[in-house]
Amino acid sequence: MKKILMVCTGNLDRSPTAAMVLAEMCAPMWVSSAGTEPWAKNPVTLELVEEADVICVMEEAHHRFIRNRFGDEHAEKVLVLDIPDNYVCWEDKLIHLLKPKLRQALGLPRREL
């Protein structure tokens, strides 16, 4: 089973929503979420990054964080979704933005929505 790690800044809105949306899409994947800041609800750790097959980050800054903190080998697993930090958890606009981006980034067929 493919392991996906969703990453945003505080692990409060975007990455938890992305993880829940992916789970709702019934994708055959293990999904977790984390944040890049020390105050994040679930901070990104080396263990999470090592376990992940794919790391979906919301912004390029998160990709740089993964590279700087954990090295190029883990940065190669990163897919940048380009989701700005102007949404709250489970906001309809965020969900509608995430679904096609997740489908495309992870190669999920349309029927999984």
Side-chain angles (χ1 to χ4, degrees), residues 6-7 15 24 27 35 38-40 42 44 54 63 67 75 78-79 83 91 97 104 107 112:
M6 301 293 177
V7 176
S15 59
E24 279 193 345
W39 51 263
N42 181 36
V44 176
V54 177
H63 187 193
R67 174 175 278 115
V78 171
L79 300 173
I83 308 281
E91 183 176 338
L97 188 59
Q104 180 181 3
E112 295 207 19

Side-chain angles (χ1 to χ4, degrees), residues 41-101:
K41 185 173 151 187
N42 181 36
V44 176
T45 63
L46 179 59
E47 182 180 7
L48 285 171
V49 169
E50 285 180 337
E51 287 180 351
D53 297 310
V54 177
I55 303 168
C56 292
V57 301
M58 300 301 139
E59 302 174 37
E60 185 57 42
H62 304 132
H63 187 193
R64 286 191 303 274
F65 174 88
I66 300 291
R67 174 175 278 115
N68 294 340
R69 174 71 62 85
F70 304 109
D72 288 338
E73 86 179 65
H74 297 298
E76 291 173 6
K77 300 190 277 187
V78 171
L79 300 173
V80 181
L81 298 178
D82 289 319
I83 308 281
D85 192 10
N86 23 331
Y87 301 98
V88 295
C89 200
W90 278 110
E91 183 176 338
D92 283 342
K93 288 180 182 179
L94 176 57
I95 292 167
H96 291 297
L97 188 59
L98 281 167
K99 283 184 177 182
K101 287 182 179 259

